[in-house]
Amino acid sequence: MDILLLNPNTSDGMTVRMLSVAQSHAAPGTTILSRTAPRGVPYISTRAEALVGGAIALEMLAAETASYDAVIMAAFGDPGVGALREMLHVPVVGMAEAAMLTACMLGRRFAIVTFAAALTPWFRECVEHNGLTGRLSAIRCLAESFTSINDVQSEKEEALVALANQVVADTETDVVILAGAPLSGLAERVKHRIPVPVVDGIAAAVKQAEAVASLHVCKASAGSFRRPGGKPSQGLEPGVARWLGGAIVPPLTKHHPETD
């Protein structure tokens, strides 16, 4: 199958890292392709930035001409995932949702460990949105600043491991999620230094995307994620305008249930 990894941040270095992690965890026969946001911010860390990133992601996918079996939203707060699920006929998997659901299969309560305090409110709301507040033991973040977003995991590796170990010692934590696109790949490197399972968001998203895509479920025609009715718009990117106008087959549709 073909899976698109979409980075709504503008950091190409981050995309390269996530793509490498995704490819290392993909099953034989799965091809991972990637796209990086052409504008926006280097890394999303606030609600406003997430809103911008989600809108840009919608534009990027509406302009796609290739076909995919699934899409991974490669930012931990899953900006725009709900909107994309409304529009697309293929599964859309959020990095945060995949990490948390995977953690729930490995233990009762999970902790989120990340690199910047600014991420905490957004990540907490992401947990609440997914109905998993009762499974969250804690969110812990580093207090000190970092030099480069592309190098934050290597720069702060020791501090992140210490923070993960501390949250396990202080709380009823069964699983640790190392959260944020810049930390992709770190879990594999440090998992033997933390006494509970450690989840990588991109690795989890790849396996969840493969699993859901292989089910070949039909696009919802009822419920909150059914395709909305068309309406006119003004000044939008052409692809988005077509989608909102009621175009029947989005360009990412690989297995369209009405025509297969």
Side-chain angles (χ1 to χ4, degrees), residues 108-142:
R108 177 62 186 169
R109 303 182 74 199
F110 62 86
I112 293 174
V113 173
T114 191
F115 59 91
L119 295 163
T120 301
W122 181 36
F123 284 4
R124 190 174 299 281
E125 289 176 7
C126 183
V127 176
E128 293 169 356
H129 174 75
N130 284 283
L132 294 171
T133 301
R135 305 293 291 272
L136 176 71
S137 61
I139 298 177
R140 295 287 185 268
C141 57
L142 298 180

Side-chain angles (χ1 to χ4, degrees), residues 190-213:
V190 304
K191 64 184 181 182
H192 298 299
R193 299 164 60 193
I194 298 169
V196 297
V198 183
V199 173
D200 181 290
I202 288 297
V206 168
K207 304 318 290 184
Q208 297 276 8
E210 288 177 332
V212 177

Side-chain angles (χ1 to χ4, degrees), residues 11 14 17 43 114-116 119 142 144-161 179-184 186 189:
S11 171
M14 201 183 301
R17 176 177 287 115
Y43 73 99
T114 191
F115 59 91
L119 295 163
L142 298 180
E144 65 266 24
S145 60
F146 54 88
T147 304
S148 165
I149 191 62
N150 286 319
D151 300 323
V152 65
Q153 68 166 266
S154 56
E155 180 185 345
K156 300 298 183 182
E157 178 177 325
E158 296 304 319
L160 288 163
V161 170
L183 300 188
S184 298
L186 181 59
R189 196 160 70 244

